[in-house]
Structures are given as structure tokens and as C-alpha cells.
Amino acid sequence: MQLQTILNRVERYKSFVYKKVSWDETASRLTLRVFLDHRSNGRPVCSGCGRVRPGDDRLRERTWEFVPLWQIAVLFVYAPRRVDCPECGVVVERLPWGDGKFQQTTSYRWFLARWAKRVSWQEVAEIFHTSWDSVYRAVRYSVHWGIFHRELRDVVAIGVDEIQWRRGHHYLTLVYQIDGRVRRLLGVGQERTEKTLARFFDLLGDAIVPTLQYVCSDMWQPYLKVIRERAGEAVHVLDRYHIMASLNKAIDKIRTGEARRLTKDGYEPVLKHSRWCLLKRPAHLTAKQIVKLKELLQYNLQAVRAYLIREDFQRFWEYKQPYWAGRFLREWCTRTMRSKLEPMKDVARSLREHEELLLNGFRAKGEISSGIVEGFNNKAKLTMRKAYGFRSSEGIEIALYHQLGNLPEPQVTHRFC
């Protein structure tokens, strides 16, 4: 039944028929070879312009891998014809089951690409007795096809962030569509510079900027500058996650320095094992951490004061109107600047500088959330962990588009995966 399905598939290639079928039992893996030939009254099609042209001669036989039949390798065997085209010159004819010099049929490439979304590329190669490079080429083909055919209409909101993809300061700039219509990866760029984000707007700006209403990012200055210049009409919302992360970094810096001073001066090391007591939200503390936090709150420590300042700032997110949120922010920054805690004062200065962008989050009225961006970032990191790292930037870009791009696929009558 499965063999007949394959032969029926060949018959759908209108200008081609199968001559014979043979089984190769001498190889380490059982192989089914389907020998194809063109119809006697069929004329070849030019692979350049796509028009029917007169044939010239034939090349030697080539093989193309088709979707395996129960772990049995299936190969199409055919001797392509040369086409004498007055416009394109002498070229090889267009074949309906493959293109270019790929040794895989189009169906097999989509088969491997779909499986590569479920398990790692190396596992796909081992399961279907092929190479990692074959799986990579199949995924790259599907990504290029999807990017060429994707629609970019009605993009209302985008999120911009960066992730580290290699040891050292090697970053990727990621741009996501995060509105209610669809959530997907729109662009990937090397490093986190102005040129990287500007290149994204150069490529897709004409398609997305006219309908763009919201942009979400962190306080990285190169991003802020490009967004202000290229998407100035959109409401720019700062990422809540990174704001709270900057406060946590300030608390941790204060705690570390104070713990060293207490140890040096011979005082009791009360800040020992207190890092997560101060950094975690009260609702997420364990029983031991709650006890430790109550103990710390009895001391007049700089780390405790910084913790209380951070908890006081949490009230900022409870406001509904930009006016009252801005009033609270200014009062909080004034109190923080009097705290004599330099790391917290640095955060206060930064928030003062970006006050309008912070208040844009209230003007957006909850239309977008930075949590979507962070969720995508976690999936991107998972993609890299599954592959145990990528040696080239092209490989990581292809993998991220494949997993997060929500790219379209061609309509087919049967999906193998």
C-alpha cells in the first residue's frame, strides 16, 4: 500500500513515469530505487524561465532521496535532460520533485524540517539515517521558503531584546511581533548595536512601521535611539522585567560590599546566605528564607534599606493613570537620591531620565507585555541548549527562525509529520 502511494506520487508528475522498481539488499540498509523517465511526448521545462523548450541531450543518472518507507530508504533515479533555451542558454531541465543540486526531494526536505521542530537535529539525522548537514540544509530551505512567503501585514506591536549566544560578549538582537494577531520572531541580527536594529528597519520598516502602534524594549541606549528615529510615532514602552532586574542588581551589589565590610570589621556575618531572601518576591520565599528575612529586617543594614526601597517601588506598577504613576515615580526618585546608596541612586537617575517611556506603559493600557518577550527569549535559549551550541551565526539564526518564526509552509495533501 505504501509503495503504491509512492508510485502514485510519481504519476502526479505529469511529464514523468516510473520505469521499474528495484530493491538493493547488498547495502547496510535496505533501499528502494524508483527509476524514472520522461514521457515520450513530453518536452523539458527550462529551470531558468520556466518555459517549455526543446531538449538537447541527457546527463548521467542522479539520485534523490524521498521520504523513507518504514525505515527503508527510497531513492528516485533519473537522468536529467539538458534544455536549449534561447534566453537562458543550455541549462538542466526543471524537475517537479526537486530543485538545484539538492540530493533530497522537496517532500523529504519538508519531512526532515518538520521533525527538526520536535527533536534535535542530530537526533533527526540518527533516526532517519542521514547526516546532520542534510537536516541543516532541509531546515535552511524551509526557513528561506517561509521568510519569502510570510505576510507582514497589520503588525501592531513589536518587542526588541538581546540574548547571549556564545561565551564572552557575543549577542543577538531579536525582534518579535507580540500583538494579539500573531506572536512570532520577525528578525535576528548580530550584536546589539544601532546598526543591527537599523538594518532590521531597513529590511522590514516599510511593511511594519505604517501599522506599528507599540514598541517594547529595555533601556539599552542604541535601541532607544533607533526606535526614536525609525518608529517615533509608535508608543515606546520600557520592559518591566529589566527595570526590576536593575534594582535587584543594585541590591546585590550593596549586599556584597556590605558583607565584606562586616567580615573585615569582625562583626557577625548576618548577611551570609541572604542573597535570595533580598532578591526574591515575598510571595516566592521558602519557609527558611522567610525566617532569614525577618531576622535581617531587625538590623539597620544598607542591604535591608535597599530592599525596602525596591519593595516600595513595586507600588508603581499598581497605578492605572499616567499622571499618578508619574507623581509617585518622582517622589520615589527623590527619596532614593537621599538614601546615600550609590547603586540605588544610579537606578533612580536612570528612571528619571526615562520617565516618559516608563509612563508609556500606562498609556498603552496593558495592550502589550514584556513577559511575551521574555517567554520568547527562554524558548530561544532552549533552542540553543538542544543543539549544544552553534558554531556559526547563520546556524543559530536558521534555528531561531525555524522554531520561533511561525513561518508558513506549502499546502500539501498529506503531511508525513
Side-chain angles (χ1 to χ4, degrees):
M1 179 64 70
Q2 293 289 339
L3 176 59
Q4 188 60 43
T5 302
I6 294 175
L7 299 181
N8 291 340
R9 179 66 175 269
V10 174
E11 288 292 343
R12 294 216 309 267
Y13 304 140
K14 299 179 180 179
S15 301
F16 299 86
V17 295
Y18 63 90
K19 295 188 299 183
K20 63 178 181 177
V21 177
S22 68
W23 297 87
D24 185 359
E25 300 182 359
T26 59
S28 58
R29 183 187 178 198
L30 189 60
T31 304
L32 172 64
R33 297 179 183 273
V34 181
F35 292 84
L36 307 178
D37 199 1
H38 60 85
R39 296 185 184 273
S40 58
N41 60 346
R43 300 179 65 190
V45 177
C46 175
S47 59
C49 60
R51 298 181 181 179
V52 177
R53 300 297 189 185
D56 192 357
D57 59 353
R58 305 192 71 163
L59 302 174
R60 60 180 179 83
E61 282 189 343
R62 290 178 51 194
T63 59
W64 290 265
E65 295 180 76
F66 190 67
V67 179
L69 168 66
W70 300 312
Q71 295 298 316
I72 300 174
V74 179
L75 301 179
F76 286 177
V77 184
Y78 177 68
R81 293 173 287 180
R82 283 195 178 97
V83 180
D84 188 5
C85 179
E87 296 181 5
C88 306
V90 179
V91 296
V92 180
E93 68 175 316
R94 176 179 295 180
L95 302 175
W97 57 81
D99 54 66
K101 295 187 178 180
F102 283 103
Q103 295 182 350
Q104 304 163 333
T105 61
T106 304
S107 299
Y108 188 47
R109 277 180 280 176
W110 282 108
F111 174 82
L112 293 177
R114 292 187 184 110
W115 269 106
K117 284 186 177 181
R118 300 178 177 232
V119 296
S120 68
W121 296 358
Q122 183 60 40
E123 288 177 306
V124 175
E126 293 174 357
I127 292 172
F128 298 105
H129 303 280
T130 185
S131 65
W132 186 93
D133 290 332
S134 296
V135 178
Y136 170 69
R137 286 193 293 268
V139 174
R140 183 178 59 185
Y141 170 81
S142 70
V143 168
H144 289 171
W145 192 96
I147 291 177
F148 182 79
H149 290 88
R150 68 178 176 178
E151 294 184 359
L152 296 175
R153 297 179 301 175
D154 302 327
V155 177
V156 176
I158 62 173
V160 182
D161 206 350
E162 77 281 348
I163 61 172
Q164 184 179 10
W165 74 282
R166 291 179 64 183
R167 290 183 178 179
H169 296 285
H170 297 282
Y171 295 92
L172 292 174
T173 295
L174 305 179
V175 183
Y176 305 104
Q177 181 179 354
I178 58 175
D179 53 53
R181 178 175 174 268
V182 63
R183 294 173 179 175
R184 57 181 172 174
L185 177 66
L186 289 180
V188 183
Q190 292 295 311
E191 303 305 330
R192 50 174 183 170
T193 61
E194 293 181 18
K195 291 183 179 179
T196 303
L197 190 55
R199 192 179 303 116
F200 166 80
F201 282 103
D202 290 338
L203 293 175
L204 303 180
D206 294 339
I208 68 174
V209 169
T211 59
L212 192 62
Q213 299 179 17
Y214 305 102
V215 181
C216 181
S217 75
D218 57 16
M219 292 185 287
W220 184 242
Q221 287 300 324
Y223 292 164
L224 299 181
K225 180 180 179 182
V226 175
I227 293 171
R228 183 170 57 251
E229 295 175 352
R230 308 298 290 272
E233 297 298 324
V235 178
H236 187 183
V237 180
L238 288 185
D239 187 354
R240 174 177 175 175
Y241 169 83
H242 287 90
I243 295 171
M244 299 308 300
S246 63
L247 286 169
N248 286 339
K249 288 179 181 178
I251 293 174
D252 203 38
K253 185 175 181 180
I254 294 170
R255 181 196 61 83
T256 304
E258 190 171 26
R260 291 198 190 101
R261 288 195 301 273
L262 290 176
T263 303
K264 183 178 179 181
D265 296 340
Y267 289 100
E268 181 183 355
V270 293
L271 287 174
K272 190 175 183 180
H273 305 303
S274 64
R275 181 185 183 190
W276 297 112
C277 299
L278 300 173
L279 297 185
K280 292 171 67 174
R281 296 284 298 274
H284 300 158
L285 294 174
T286 64
K288 290 184 178 180
Q289 290 170 345
I290 292 175
V291 174
K292 182 66 176 180
L293 180 60
K294 289 183 178 179
E295 178 187 344
L296 290 177
L297 292 176
Q298 299 175 4
Y299 297 92
N300 184 24
L301 298 172
Q302 291 183 357
V304 173
R305 288 160 52 201
Y307 167 81
L308 295 176
I309 291 173
R310 195 275 311 272
E311 288 304 300
D312 184 37
F313 183 79
Q314 294 284 6
R315 293 191 294 153
F316 175 74
W317 309 112
E318 299 175 3
Y319 285 91
K320 302 298 181 182
Q321 298 298 326
Y323 171 79
W324 295 108
R327 184 171 176 176
F328 171 83
L329 178 63
R330 290 187 289 272
E331 293 175 355
W332 181 89
C333 289
T334 301
R335 292 194 301 269
T336 304
M337 293 300 293
R338 296 170 180 170
S339 66
K340 299 181 180 180
L341 302 175
E342 287 301 324
M344 298 300 290
K345 291 168 66 174
D346 290 340
V347 176
R349 293 188 189 99
S350 178
L351 296 183
R352 273 181 173 175
E353 182 181 351
H354 302 97
E355 177 180 342
E356 284 302 313
L357 298 182
L358 282 168
L359 299 182
N360 280 342
F362 300 93
R363 299 185 181 102
K365 298 181 179 180
E367 292 291 332
I368 61 172
S369 171
S370 61
I372 303 173
V373 176
E374 294 305 318
F376 270 118
N377 285 346
N378 289 335
K379 292 181 179 179
K381 294 172 184 176
L382 176 61
T383 300
M384 292 186 287
R385 285 199 298 269
K386 283 172 59 179
Y388 297 98
F390 288 88
R391 296 182 180 179
S392 66
S393 58
E394 182 187 12
I396 181 60
E397 291 180 17
I398 292 294
L400 292 177
Y401 275 122
H402 186 55
Q403 291 288 344
L404 309 178
N406 193 21
L407 298 174
E409 297 181 359
Q411 296 293 330
V412 293
T413 56
H414 178 71
R415 291 171 62 98
F416 295 96
C417 174

